[in-house]
Amino acid sequence: MNSVKISPSILSADFSRLGSEIQSLEKAKADLIHIDVMDGHFVPNITIGPEVISKLRKYTSLPFDVHLMISPVHKFIKNFADAGADIITIHPEATDNLIESIKEIKSYNKKVGISLNPETSTEKVLPVLNLIDLVLIMSVNPGFGGQKFIQNTLEKVKILRKEIDLKKLKVQIEIDGGINFENAKLAINAGVDILVSGTTIFKENDGNLKKNIQILKTG
Ligand code: DX5
Ligand code: ZN
C-alpha cells in the first residue's frame, strides 16, 4: 500500500511571498503544491490567475496541482496549461461539455482532475472515470480555507475506491477541505491517495510545515 501523498494548499500561505513559501513546502517534503484558483463567480472568493502561477513555476519542480474554481472554465484551460500546471482539476458544473474539456486538458499533456462538491453526486464522474487521472472530493463547500470537514463526503470516497479498484483504473482520489490530524486517518482508511490541507499544515505546531506534513502522511 503506497503511503498517502500530501498536497499543501497555498491558499493558507503568505500571499506576499508565495515563491519562498513554495520552496519551504518542497523542503518540508510536500509531494505536490495545491493551487486554488477562484474567480468570485463560481465561488464567492477571488485568488490568483495564470500569470501568478507562471511566475511561481521557477520556485519548485514539484507538480502544480491546480484546482480551478472558475466558470466558464473551458476557455481558460490553455492559459493554465501554458502557466505550468501539471494537474488541471475542473468542476463539472463549470463546463457545457465535460468530455470536450477533458480532451482539451489532455491536448496539452496535462493530467485531468474532476472535482465533486459536497452536493455533487459521484454519478457526475463515474461515466468518465476511464478518461481522467484524478477525482477531487470536496469535503467543504469551495471558496475558503479553514472550514469544517463534512464527514459524509467520505461515502463518495468509498464508492469511488470500490469502482476504481474493481475496474483496475489508474485514477487517484484526492480530498480537499477541513483536513486535520484526526480526520486525515478517516480519509486514508476510506481510500484516498492524496490529502489536500491548508490550515492544518500552515497553522498547527507553530507552522512547522515538515512536522505537520509528516503527521498527515503517517495518518
Ligand atoms: C477550498 C479549497 C481548499 C482549501 C483547503 O475551496 O479548495 O483547497 O484551501 O484549505 P483548508 O485545509 O484550510 O480547509
Ligand atoms: Zn482546493
Side-chain angles (χ1 to χ4, degrees), residues 9 34-36 38 67 69 136 138 176 196:
S9 162
H34 188 82
I35 301 176
D36 287 308
M38 301 180 187
H67 179 191
M69 290 161 276
L136 176 59
M138 293 306 297
D176 182 4
V196 173

Short mmCIF file of all heavy atoms in Angstrom, two decimals, residues 9 34-36 38 67 69 136 138 176 196, ligand 2:
data_model
loop_
_atom_site.label_atom_id
_atom_site.label_comp_id
_atom_site.label_asym_id
_atom_site.label_seq_id
_atom_site.Cartn_x
_atom_site.Cartn_y
_atom_site.Cartn_z
N SER A 9 -2.26 23.21 0.37
CA SER A 9 -2.95 24.28 -0.35
C SER A 9 -2.31 25.62 0.00
O SER A 9 -2.29 26.02 1.17
CB SER A 9 -4.43 24.31 0.06
OG SER A 9 -4.97 25.57 -0.31
N HIS A 34 -0.83 22.40 -4.05
CA HIS A 34 -2.24 22.61 -4.42
C HIS A 34 -2.50 24.10 -4.56
O HIS A 34 -2.33 24.87 -3.61
CB HIS A 34 -3.15 22.00 -3.34
CG HIS A 34 -4.59 21.98 -3.71
ND1 HIS A 34 -5.16 21.00 -4.52
CD2 HIS A 34 -5.61 22.82 -3.40
CE1 HIS A 34 -6.46 21.25 -4.66
NE2 HIS A 34 -6.75 22.34 -3.99
N ILE A 35 -2.89 24.50 -5.77
CA ILE A 35 -3.09 25.92 -6.06
C ILE A 35 -4.57 26.17 -6.35
O ILE A 35 -5.12 25.66 -7.34
CB ILE A 35 -2.23 26.37 -7.27
CG1 ILE A 35 -0.74 26.10 -6.97
CG2 ILE A 35 -2.48 27.84 -7.57
CD1 ILE A 35 0.20 26.43 -8.12
N ASP A 36 -5.21 26.91 -5.43
CA ASP A 36 -6.66 27.17 -5.54
C ASP A 36 -6.91 28.43 -6.34
O ASP A 36 -6.57 29.53 -5.89
CB ASP A 36 -7.27 27.31 -4.15
CG ASP A 36 -7.35 25.97 -3.43
OD1 ASP A 36 -7.89 25.02 -4.03
OD2 ASP A 36 -6.87 25.87 -2.30
N MET A 38 -9.63 30.92 -7.87
CA MET A 38 -11.04 31.27 -7.63
C MET A 38 -11.37 32.58 -8.37
O MET A 38 -10.56 33.51 -8.38
CB MET A 38 -11.28 31.47 -6.13
CG MET A 38 -10.96 30.23 -5.30
SD MET A 38 -11.27 30.54 -3.56
CE MET A 38 -10.61 29.03 -2.85
N HIS A 67 -6.35 23.66 -8.92
CA HIS A 67 -7.80 23.44 -8.69
C HIS A 67 -8.55 24.65 -9.19
O HIS A 67 -8.51 25.71 -8.55
CB HIS A 67 -7.99 23.21 -7.18
CG HIS A 67 -9.42 23.00 -6.78
ND1 HIS A 67 -9.81 23.01 -5.46
CD2 HIS A 67 -10.54 22.78 -7.51
CE1 HIS A 67 -11.12 22.81 -5.41
NE2 HIS A 67 -11.58 22.66 -6.63
N MET A 69 -11.56 26.70 -9.59
CA MET A 69 -12.91 27.01 -9.14
C MET A 69 -13.35 28.26 -9.90
O MET A 69 -13.50 29.35 -9.33
CB MET A 69 -12.93 27.21 -7.62
CG MET A 69 -12.71 25.92 -6.86
SD MET A 69 -12.19 26.16 -5.15
CE MET A 69 -10.42 26.36 -5.41
N LEU A 136 -11.22 14.82 -7.32
CA LEU A 136 -11.00 15.67 -6.14
C LEU A 136 -12.32 15.76 -5.37
O LEU A 136 -13.26 16.41 -5.84
CB LEU A 136 -10.52 17.06 -6.57
CG LEU A 136 -10.34 18.09 -5.48
CD1 LEU A 136 -9.34 17.64 -4.42
CD2 LEU A 136 -9.88 19.43 -6.08
N MET A 138 -14.46 17.28 -2.67
CA MET A 138 -14.52 18.45 -1.79
C MET A 138 -15.19 18.05 -0.48
O MET A 138 -16.33 17.58 -0.48
CB MET A 138 -15.29 19.59 -2.44
CG MET A 138 -14.61 20.20 -3.67
SD MET A 138 -12.93 20.73 -3.36
CE MET A 138 -13.20 22.00 -2.13
N ASP A 176 -10.22 17.33 -0.20
CA ASP A 176 -9.84 18.73 -0.09
C ASP A 176 -10.83 19.53 0.75
O ASP A 176 -11.97 19.72 0.35
CB ASP A 176 -9.81 19.29 -1.53
CG ASP A 176 -9.38 20.72 -1.61
OD1 ASP A 176 -9.02 21.31 -0.56
OD2 ASP A 176 -9.42 21.28 -2.72
N VAL A 196 -5.29 17.06 0.58
CA VAL A 196 -5.03 18.50 0.47
C VAL A 196 -5.23 19.09 1.86
O VAL A 196 -6.18 18.74 2.55
CB VAL A 196 -6.00 19.18 -0.51
CG1 VAL A 196 -5.82 20.70 -0.49
CG2 VAL A 196 -5.82 18.64 -1.93
ZN ZN B 2 -8.62 23.19 -3.46
#
